[in-house]
Amino acid sequence: MARVFRQKTGDAAREQISNGVKIIADQVGSTLGPNGSLVAIRVINPKRTTNHTTMLTKDGVSVAKAVQGDSPGENIGVDIVREASLLTLKNAGDGTTSTVIIAEQIYNLVCIALGYVPANLQAEIESGNSNPRAIKQEVLEAMNKYVAELGNIAIPVNAENDRIDNDLLNIARVSTNGDEKIAELIVKAFKAVQYKGHVSYAQSELNEVEVVPGCRATMNMISPAMITNLSEGTAEYENPIICIHEGPTTSAEGVQKLVSIGRSNMSTGRYSPVVYISQEISGSTVGALVGNHLAWYKSGNKEGLPMVGMEYRINREVMEDIAFACDTIMIGNNSGKKVDNMGSQMFGTCAKIVVNRDYTTFYFNQNERLRERIEYLEAELQRETDSDLIAALKQRISNLTVGVAIIKVKANSQTEAGEKFDRIDDAVRAVQCALEEGIVCGGGIGYIDAIPKDLANTMGGKILMMAVSKLACLIDNNESLSQDREDYLRQYYIERGIMDPAKVIRLAVINGVTAGLHLALTGGFLSHSEI
């Protein structure tokens, strides 16, 4: 293949980038709101029965992932906006389309304000030769003011609020496309874990909620090669051997010890998968863990062993709580123990572990050490006087006691189950966002309500105000919104319980503004490709 190098500067570069921003905004934006349209995505058919297959979708995420430009500059515009939208999705579970639209509006308005007006832009703000540094500072200051005001107007959703179940039901109902039964199950699940535990889901013969001992922690697998459930992108193991290392791990000397313990169980007709947890995993340990997992997979369970290596991003005390709950100890400097000199009875286990790219859910077995740990933490709580430490202890006790709520839903086929799980996942994440940062009026009106009164005092403030207002107009399928129309929509949405999590709006604005602003300040690009 020949390598091709392309570069553009000035107006030629801006025109290509501008086209890319417009391409992704037009495609993703067409799905926005209740009046949004379907987008046809034609892709190579993996089954090879035909050369291509076409899917119809109104999902902004799917559209954003499929968009491509026709030139290097266009793809730069597409890529930056797409990454911003997926970042919002990752942290909030929603807001993909809103992020894309805000990014486009910020890009257009900043370009015009700076006097950079590519051919495809229409001036909606006064053009000039303003200082790029000044405009950037003004836009970012306006964004910070906006985020602060959003926090002020958000209605808290917590256990102290008598309307908590009703508010959460409204959020869940919207996210499940009006499915009242599933929305009620979701609220029941959160209530069962005191609104601060974790919620999962599974297929069942009945629609019900079950609470099991367990917790969720911020740790993820070190390699996608360890995924066992390809459709969900997760590693899922039942009754695994659990080994927790309290510091960084660079040597694989202990991995074969774990493999030998796991393989010793194969004589009974089953294998014991291995979960290796460390603060940091590098060096030969990575290759040893991945190699054993792949050997097991490729040999049809005859060689190697199913393994997942995980790095934890929580403090040592919380990790130690999990070690107690899994009936094991943290090996390393403090314990004075190493993997190779520990007997098989000293490693821990749990009923099940599910690992994805962001967090891990542990399903505990009831054991004496778990009960001892809870009693110890409760005694510490009684003795503690520092308010911050009291809050931390309460959270640690909660992690070990409230459990994981499993929403069990009935489905007649795997396809139906997958569709329901997608809606449940969206709704669970929306409810979690509402619990974390509160709710505001839905239908795009919340974006307008968060505009500070003095935002229009600077050029950067005007740019942000126009960008979020445009989003509200597009959701309502109007070119502009009068004050009477705004008031009517606000009352209409509130009366019907149509609310948005404030966290989704915050992340959509931050990520959209950041992407659009920095693209507008880009005056050239370099691109390497192969043909």
Side-chain angles (χ1 to χ4, degrees), residues 145-330:
K145 285 184 178 180
Y146 182 94
V147 168
E149 182 63 19
L150 177 65
N152 291 335
I153 68 167
I155 303 168
V157 179
N158 51 48
E160 287 72 40
N161 186 341
D162 293 338
R163 291 180 47 84
I164 182 170
D165 289 346
N166 185 64
D167 288 339
L168 296 184
L169 183 63
N170 288 334
I171 292 290
R173 187 188 294 115
V174 171
S175 294
T176 57
N177 297 329
D179 193 320
E180 191 76 26
K181 290 183 178 179
I182 291 181
E184 289 175 354
L185 281 175
I186 291 170
V187 175
K188 183 179 179 180
F190 274 95
K191 189 174 184 178
V193 291
Q194 304 171 31
Y195 309 104
K196 52 189 176 183
H198 305 295
V199 175
S200 185
Y201 45 83
Q203 190 172 350
S204 176
E205 294 298 318
L206 298 171
N207 291 331
E208 59 184 357
V209 172
E210 179 185 3
V211 179
V212 298
C215 74
R216 181 174 291 175
T218 308
M219 57 181 79
N220 62 317
M221 70 188 88
I222 59 172
S223 170
M226 297 172 174
I227 289 173
T228 62
N229 186 330
L230 294 176
S231 63
E232 297 293 331
T234 58
E236 302 179 10
Y237 296 139
E238 293 187 2
N239 302 309
I241 294 170
I242 295 178
C243 178
I244 304 175
H245 195 279
E246 64 177 312
T249 307
T250 58
S251 172
E253 59 181 340
V255 171
Q256 292 309 316
K257 171 76 171 181
L258 294 170
V259 173
S260 65
I261 294 171
R263 288 188 61 79
S264 68
N265 290 340
M266 286 181 142
S267 60
T268 64
R270 67 173 299 276
Y271 61 79
S272 293
V274 171
V275 174
Y276 185 82
I277 305 171
S278 179
Q279 191 175 42
E280 180 184 342
I281 302 176
S282 59
S284 60
T285 314
V286 177
L289 291 167
V290 173
N292 274 282
H293 183 92
L294 292 178
W296 166 79
Y297 177 78
K298 291 179 179 180
S299 67
N301 307 3
K302 296 177 182 178
E303 302 293 338
L305 205 71
M307 306 185 91
V308 61
M310 300 189 301
E311 295 178 326
Y312 65 83
R313 300 189 296 278
I314 52 181
N315 63 47
R316 188 188 185 282
E317 289 78 10
V318 175
M319 194 68 249
E320 192 173 48
D321 293 341
I322 293 174
F324 271 85
C326 295
D327 196 18
T328 187
I329 62 171
M330 292 179 68

